[in-house]
Amino acid sequence: MAKKSGLSAEDVDSLRSQLDEGTVPMVWFTAAAVGMEEGRSAKLLAVTDPPEGDFIQVRPTGSKDEMSFSPAELTLEKPPPRKKPATPPPAPPEPPRHTEIIHPYVPEAPVKPAAPKPKPAAAPAEQAPAKPAARKPSAKNAVPEVTVTLVSVGEGEWTVEVLQGTRKTVRPTPVPPASVAQAAKLLTPEVAEIVEGVLNAARAQQLARVEQLRAELEAAQKALDDLGA
């Protein structure tokens, strides 16, 4: 399968216009799509603003999940249908073979007296039925491995992402710092202490910024008063 190019800016504008008109356009995944098979189709749900990062929301065909992707991971080029392998013609039947059977002459052997019948051996003791082997848990019933990652991106902002096995089911999504602090308190004291330290540093940074802006505002107000406004 040839590699598909991503969506251009004109393609994104056209898709946004189709959504505004009530149409649900189809897109296809490129080889750059993380965790998705190239050529798989998806329904376009939304094109969010601002157009940065993974701002195109789709629902893959056969799935109920809503996922976000970047323009490089999607395309409007529909892949060609896969060709089925040609079936080889059946082999011609083999012609019947005629086999001539020659019976050699065998002289009759003298008749021997019949040997006495052996006594039937005693039946062995009944054995207990073998226990059936324990069934192995099927792969369908196995609990999938899920990894939840919280990341501090600076200035008090946090994101969360979820991996189900090796598949990224939730891409980095912003979460409020208060929710992060509340979740950390429900975990181990070590995790809560580390998260609280990051939040305290962010608070101190924001407080310093507020003080700086307040000083600039007072200086600007004083300059305005001096001008006699």
Side-chain angles (χ1 to χ4, degrees):
M1 181 182 296
K3 293 186 177 179
K4 305 296 181 183
S5 59
L7 298 174
S8 63
E10 291 78 7
D11 294 337
V12 174
D13 292 339
S14 175
L15 291 173
R16 184 183 283 110
S17 300
Q18 294 181 48
L19 288 174
D20 293 339
E21 295 172 358
T23 305
V24 181
M26 297 292 294
V27 293
W28 288 264
F29 293 107
T30 66
V34 179
M36 287 294 167
E37 179 184 0
E38 181 182 3
R40 183 178 178 181
S41 60
K43 291 183 178 180
L44 184 67
L45 300 180
V47 179
T48 60
D49 287 321
E52 297 177 358
D54 302 334
F55 64 94
I56 304 177
Q57 297 180 1
V58 300
R59 179 182 290 120
T61 302
S63 174
K64 297 182 179 179
D65 298 333
E66 296 183 6
M67 308 176 69
S68 299
F69 292 88
S70 65
E73 298 174 290
L74 302 171
T75 182
L76 294 177
E77 301 178 22
K78 183 178 180 180
R82 298 181 180 179
K83 296 182 179 179
K84 295 183 179 180
T87 304
E94 296 184 359
R97 299 180 180 179
H98 300 280
T99 304
E100 183 179 359
I101 302 175
I102 301 176
H103 299 278
Y105 170 77
V106 179
E108 295 182 357
V111 178
K112 294 183 179 180
K117 295 182 179 180
K119 296 181 179 180
E126 294 185 358
Q127 298 180 353
K131 295 182 179 180
R135 296 182 179 179
K136 296 182 179 180
S138 62
K140 293 182 178 179
N141 298 330
V143 179
E145 180 181 352
V146 177
T147 304
V148 180
T149 305
L150 285 170
V151 180
S152 173
V153 295
E155 296 186 0
E157 297 180 359
W158 292 78
T159 61
V160 63
E161 63 180 353
V162 179
L163 289 176
Q164 188 170 359
T166 57
R167 180 183 174 186
K168 183 181 292 186
T169 56
V170 177
R171 293 176 173 270
T173 305
V175 291
S179 299
V180 175
Q182 184 177 2
K185 291 179 181 178
L186 300 177
L187 301 176
T188 62
E190 292 80 3
V191 175
E193 182 179 356
I194 293 173
V195 172
E196 185 63 25
V198 176
L199 293 176
N200 288 337
R203 292 190 193 100
Q205 184 178 4
Q206 294 298 331
L207 181 60
R209 185 178 180 184
V210 169
E211 294 296 335
Q212 180 181 358
L213 293 174
R214 185 175 296 159
E216 293 177 359
L217 180 60
E218 291 178 356
Q221 185 64 44
K222 184 177 182 303
L224 183 62
D225 294 340
D226 292 341
L227 292 174

